[in-house]
């Protein structure tokens, strides 16, 4: 889920200052409308008592009980929350354990205590009957798309970062280290493309991760793409689940190189607080401080995703190498995020910018969007990776706080479309903006994952709703591809930006589809496909396979070219308007991996065995799940 750290402005539609007009509630819809196929699926959240998982570490005050009702929570809005009237009734609802009287009260701490290797294990995936649910022909078409793009990269760009398909050239935005090779390798492993993997593995020992002609190394993407890619390939090849007949010196280099690169990235943590700088100068070996201006004050700053998206990769790196330095650095930075000062507008929904000199938050623009997203993602995933580590319990408790605030405040319906649910971002001052970006569409899968692991059907239900809402943005465009950003009118039929209240084209678009587009491009964004993958693997409903296939067909129709594929300039213009001369490495790492795994046999990279980093690199779960190895 790359580029999350580069915070979007929470959308062109909301740039003008405005006051919140109202706050909507949320419900779930896999309705028989033009947005989705399938039967009616709804959920009315009851009064609930929220009890955090008890933390042995007791490092924060998170070990407390928070009570409240989902339907009548106070908010900055003067109007009451919308309360859906639909109750669970579909086969999908039943398959997820929902009933109209199901309680969403969290289980007592004892039943959610960290599982150990000697205790009962947890199952995340739907219990697919053995040998069922694969679609070999569709899986092969996804493999063919990988091979076609790889062959073009190998011919025109090998060893460079990314292919430029329109002029058969290349670009090096990620330090000239061959990010496409490293980021895309574990997908080739999963697809059993052994000849390509051999070529990729042979390249790994040749990379010099101690220097870069660009001098500045941006730590966020370098960690999730390179370090995550190296560790993901290493874990797959050591899992015993995939062929490992390769040169073992090359395989060993995966871990050696992950350590070498992480040693350079660790320089970023040399700040007064231990919050990482955004970049490291690999020439001077010094952190390069970024600044952020807010209300005419300039701060040395980092954003939440940059600071909070190391715990998964570096916990794994510490476990594999025995060097606790990586874990300690990541934990120290994370401590500022899960103990936010000042408190966020809503518990758990922290802003995007922090002062690296003091550790204090600068802004209140919380949500699940770019700049904060993978921080929330990793709070849950680090707990799944190893729930026996005390600090991971603190993390999942904070995640639960964020989920509760999400349900109560920012999971909203657009005006006139109660079957659609989107997650609004907040303004820098904490106001609800009635806008969402595609980055936030990962939240559907993350909520489904957490609901399944923690036995929280209410959280799973919200995950289904958000995933379906993101899918609606795809099948309401001319191309069938989803936009980067969109906004909507709230339950009082008002926009955050008053200018949009009298904007006739946007009014007409919202009346037809529930939203108006504010960011028109498609740049290989994987987040909706990511959540569709989780929805399929966790609910078992084949409708999600159909949604994934529709999107893959749309990609083939609009993004394909004579060389490979390209970005699309305008998803709502005939033929996408034009293509943009770039192929992101996460086309290999995420888009094609999630598509392939949606059609491959469900036991291939099972969610009970692996937890994905934010770039879809699978890391072996250490304990707690029934598939942990």
């Amino acid at each position: 889920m790359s580029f999350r750290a580069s915070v979007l402005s929470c959308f062109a539609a909301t740039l003008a200052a405005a006051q919140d007009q109202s706050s909507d509630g949320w419900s779930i819809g896999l309705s028989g409308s033009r947005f989705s196929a399938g039967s009616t699926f709804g959920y009315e959240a009851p009064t609930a008592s929220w009890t955090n998982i008890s933390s042995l570490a007791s490092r924060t005050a998170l070990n407390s009980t928070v009570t409240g009702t989902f339907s009548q929570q106070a908010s900055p809005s003067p109007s009451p929350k919308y309360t859906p009237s639909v109750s669970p009734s579909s086969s999908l609802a039943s398959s997820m354990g929902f009933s109209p009287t199901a309680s969403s009260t969290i289980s007592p701490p004892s039943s959610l205590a960290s599982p150990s290797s000697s205790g009962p294990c947890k199952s995340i995936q739907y219990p697919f009957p053995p040998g069922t649910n694969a679609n070999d022909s569709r899986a092969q078409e996804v493999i063919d798309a990988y091979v076609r793009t790889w062959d073009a990269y190998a011919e025109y760009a090998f060893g460079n970062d990314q292919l430029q398909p329109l002029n058969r050239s290349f670009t090096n935005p990620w330090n000239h280290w061959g990010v496409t090779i490293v980021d895309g390798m574990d997908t080739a492993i999963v697809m059993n493309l052994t000849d390509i993997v051999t070529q990729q593995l042979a390249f790994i020992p040749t990379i010099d991760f101690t220097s870069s002609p660009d001098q500045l190394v941006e730590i966020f993407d370098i960690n999730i793409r390179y370090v995550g890619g190296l560790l993901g390939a290493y874990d797959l090849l050591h899992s015993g689940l995939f062929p490992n007949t390769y040169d073992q010196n090359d395989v060993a280099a995966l871990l050696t190189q992950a350590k070498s690169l992480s040693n350079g990235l660790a320089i970023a943590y040399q700040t007064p607080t231990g919050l990482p700088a955004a970049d490291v100068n690999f020439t001077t070996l010094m952190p390069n401080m970024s600044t952020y201006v807010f209300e005419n004050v300039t701060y040395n700053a980092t954003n939440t995703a940059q600071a909070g998206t190391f715990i998964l990769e570096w916990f794994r790196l510490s476990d594999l190498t025995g060097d606790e330095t990586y874990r300690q650095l990541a934990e120290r930075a994370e401590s500022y995020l899960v103990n936010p000062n000042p408190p966020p507008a809503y518990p758990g929904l922290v802003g995007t910018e922090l002062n690296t000199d003091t550790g204090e938050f600068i802004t209140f623009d919380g949500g699940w969007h770019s700049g904060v997203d993978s921080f929330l993602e990793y709070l849950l995933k680090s707990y799944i990776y190893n729930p026996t580590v005390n600090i991971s319990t603190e993390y999942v408790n904070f995640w639960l706080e964020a989920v509760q605030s999400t349900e109560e405040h920012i999971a909203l319906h657009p005006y006139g479309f109660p079957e659609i649910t989107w997650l609004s971002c907040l303004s820098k001052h904490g106001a609800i903006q009635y806008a969402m970006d595609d980055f936030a569409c990962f939240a559907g899968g993350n909520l489904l994952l957490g609901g399944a692991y923690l036995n929280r059907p209410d959280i799973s239900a919200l995950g289904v709703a958000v995933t379906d809402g993101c899918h609606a943005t795809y099948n309401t465009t001319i191309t069938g591809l989803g936009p980067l950003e969109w906004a909507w009118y709230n339950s009082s039929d008002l926009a955050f930006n008053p200018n949009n209240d009298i904007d006739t084209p946007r009014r007409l678009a919202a009346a037809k589809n529930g939203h108006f587009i504010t960011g028109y491009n498609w740049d290989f964004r994987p987040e909706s496909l990511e959540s569709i993958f989780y929805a399929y693997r966790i609910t078992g409903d084949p409708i999600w396979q159909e949604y994934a296939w529709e999107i893959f067909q749309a990609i083939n129709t609009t993004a394909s070219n004579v060389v490979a594929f390209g970005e699309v300039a305008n998803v709502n213009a005939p033929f996408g308007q034009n293509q943009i001369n770039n192929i992101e490495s996460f086309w290999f790492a995420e888009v094609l991996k999630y598509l392939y795994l949606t059609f491959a046999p469900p036991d291939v990279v099972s969610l009970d065995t692996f937890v994905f980093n934010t770039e879809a690199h699978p890391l072996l779960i250490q304990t707690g799940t029934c598939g942990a190895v």
Side-chain angles (χ1 to χ4, degrees):
M1 295 185 185
S2 307
F3 288 112
R4 285 182 177 173
S6 57
V7 184
L8 303 176
S9 60
C10 219
F11 325 125
T14 58
L15 289 178
Q19 296 296 320
D20 306 34
Q21 302 297 334
S22 71
S23 180
D24 302 75
W26 63 272
S27 68
I28 293 177
L30 273 177
S31 66
S33 70
R34 63 184 179 278
F35 300 106
S36 310
S39 56
T40 301
F41 178 44
Y43 178 65
E44 182 174 357
T47 301
S49 173
W50 288 69
T51 306
N52 289 322
I53 303 170
S54 60
S55 170
L56 298 177
S58 299
R59 290 181 55 171
T60 71
L62 290 175
N63 303 313
S64 60
T65 301
V66 183
T67 60
T69 60
F70 295 160
S71 59
Q72 296 181 359
Q73 285 295 321
S75 74
S77 165
S79 61
K81 288 177 69 67
Y82 172 84
T83 303
S85 59
V86 184
S87 59
S89 59
S90 74
S91 60
L92 176 55
S94 300
S95 74
M96 294 176 67
F98 294 118
S99 68
T101 58
S103 170
S104 67
T105 302
I106 195 167
S107 303
S110 59
S111 67
L112 283 174
S114 299
S116 66
S117 57
S118 61
C121 64
K122 293 176 177 285
S123 293
I124 296 172
Q125 286 206 163
Y126 180 82
F128 296 96
T132 66
N133 289 79
N135 190 315
D136 293 340
S137 62
R138 290 181 177 181
Q140 185 59 51
E141 288 202 38
V142 178
I143 292 174
D144 292 345
Y146 184 105
V147 172
R148 177 175 171 237
T149 317
W150 171 261
D151 286 348
Y153 169 81
E155 180 175 359
Y156 302 117
F158 188 85
N160 293 282
D161 285 340
Q162 293 177 171
L163 171 66
Q164 291 184 311
L166 301 186
N167 64 347
R168 294 176 171 85
S169 186
F170 54 82
T171 184
N172 282 290
W174 303 114
N175 300 97
H176 303 253
W177 291 328
V179 70
T180 289
I181 297 172
V182 181
D183 212 9
M185 178 166 39
D186 56 15
T187 302
I189 293 171
V190 168
M191 293 177 173
N192 290 320
L193 298 172
T194 54
D195 290 344
I196 291 176
V197 175
T198 298
Q199 187 180 12
Q200 293 169 333
L201 278 171
F203 179 77
I204 299 303
T206 71
I207 306 171
D208 182 4
F209 280 128
T210 66
S211 65
S212 169
D214 296 333
Q215 291 189 336
L216 292 184
V217 176
E218 182 265 293
I219 67 169
F220 174 83
D221 277 280
I222 298 305
N223 176 59
I224 66 172
R225 300 198 200 199
Y226 284 109
V227 178
L230 293 165
L231 295 177
Y234 185 89
D235 269 2
L236 285 175
L237 293 176
H238 284 84
S239 69
L241 301 173
F242 298 92
N244 187 8
T245 58
Y246 308 104
D247 186 321
Q248 292 306 296
N249 290 325
D250 293 342
V251 174
L254 293 168
L255 182 58
T256 302
Q257 291 285 55
K259 182 178 174 69
S260 173
L261 177 55
S262 294
N263 289 344
L265 299 181
I267 295 170
Y269 289 80
Q270 297 174 8
T271 66
T273 57
L275 284 168
D279 308 286
V280 173
N281 188 315
F282 266 40
T283 299
T284 65
L285 301 182
M286 294 291 292
N288 185 71
M289 304 304 299
S290 296
T291 58
Y292 183 79
V293 180
F294 184 60
E295 295 185 336
N296 298 318
V297 179
T298 300
Y299 301 90
N300 288 327
T302 189
N303 76 50
T304 305
Q306 286 173 327
T309 311
F310 277 79
I311 54 175
L312 192 56
E313 293 88 355
W314 280 15
F315 281 17
R316 184 65 182 138
L317 187 59
S318 284
D319 288 341
L320 287 170
T321 65
D323 187 341
E324 288 296 300
T325 302
Y326 310 109
R327 188 193 314 272
Q328 292 165 358
L329 289 172
E331 281 185 2
R332 182 184 180 193
E334 199 82 5
S335 67
Y336 291 96
L337 307 183
V338 297
N339 296 278
N341 180 33
Y346 303 111
L349 298 179
V350 296
T352 63
E353 295 294 330
L354 296 104
N355 185 330
T356 53
D357 294 330
T358 66
E360 295 180 340
F361 275 89
I362 301 168
T363 61
F364 295 87
D365 48 339
W368 298 74
H369 54 279
S370 174
V372 70
D373 42 10
S374 46
F375 157 64
L376 293 175
E377 177 185 0
Y378 276 26
L379 294 174
L380 171 70
K381 289 184 173 181
S382 64
Y383 183 72
I384 294 174
Y385 169 71
N386 191 346
T388 65
V389 176
N390 291 340
I391 193 66
S392 68
T393 305
E394 179 180 346
Y395 296 161
V396 78
N397 283 340
F398 195 87
W399 183 84
L400 283 168
E401 278 197 337
V403 172
Q404 181 182 5
S405 291
T406 298
E407 290 181 316
E408 293 173 354
H409 301 293
I410 66 169
L412 310 175
H413 306 309
Y415 181 80
F417 292 81
E419 73 275 22
I420 296 178
T421 300
W422 288 316
L423 303 183
S424 179
C425 59
L426 303 179
S427 73
K428 292 184 181 355
H429 293 280
I432 295 172
Q433 293 194 295
Y434 312 108
M436 186 173 177
D437 63 7
D438 188 74
F439 296 86
C441 285
F442 92 94
N446 195 241
L447 293 162
L448 275 156
L449 181 65
Y453 189 83
L454 300 173
N455 191 27
R456 287 291 304 272
D458 59 314
I459 297 176
S460 295
L462 179 57
V464 168
V466 173
T467 304
D468 196 41
C470 287
H471 173 249
T473 68
Y474 273 71
N475 63 0
T476 53
T477 65
I478 291 175
T479 63
L481 297 174
L484 183 62
E485 306 164 5
W486 62 95
W488 62 90
Y489 298 95
N490 64 21
S491 60
S492 298
D493 198 20
L494 297 171
F496 179 77
N497 182 344
N499 292 338
N500 290 323
D501 291 334
I502 56 174
D503 188 319
T504 299
R506 288 183 167 179
R507 279 285 183 189
L508 292 172
K512 179 182 179 182
N513 299 322
H515 69 284
F516 53 90
I517 296 174
T518 56
Y520 285 84
N521 60 306
W522 180 83
D523 58 353
F524 298 100
R525 291 256 56 87
E527 287 80 14
S528 291
L529 285 167
E530 173 184 354
S531 288
I532 287 171
F533 158 75
Y534 279 104
Y536 167 63
R537 284 289 188 92
I538 290 171
T539 70
D541 194 314
I543 192 63
W544 300 107
Q545 289 179 303
E546 298 307 311
Y547 292 170
W549 185 244
E550 290 172 2
I551 294 173
F552 182 62
Q553 289 179 309
I555 293 171
N556 277 329
T557 299
T558 306
S560 180
N561 55 55
V562 296
V563 173
F565 297 84
E567 297 179 12
V568 174
N570 187 337
V571 298
N572 213 31
F575 314 110
Q577 185 174 311
N578 63 273
Q579 289 187 355
I580 298 170
N581 191 24
N582 186 50
I583 299 180
E584 288 286 349
S585 67
F586 51 75
W587 163 249
F588 295 91
E590 299 188 75
V591 175
L592 293 176
K593 185 185 286 109
Y594 286 129
L595 280 166
Y596 174 75
L597 292 177
T598 303
F599 303 121
D603 60 346
V604 176
V605 193
S606 169
L607 295 177
D608 294 327
T609 304
F610 294 93
V611 60
F612 290 94
N613 90 329
T614 195
E615 192 81 359
H617 297 306
L619 305 177
L620 284 167
I621 296 172
Q622 297 304 287
T623 186
T625 59
C626 299
V629 295

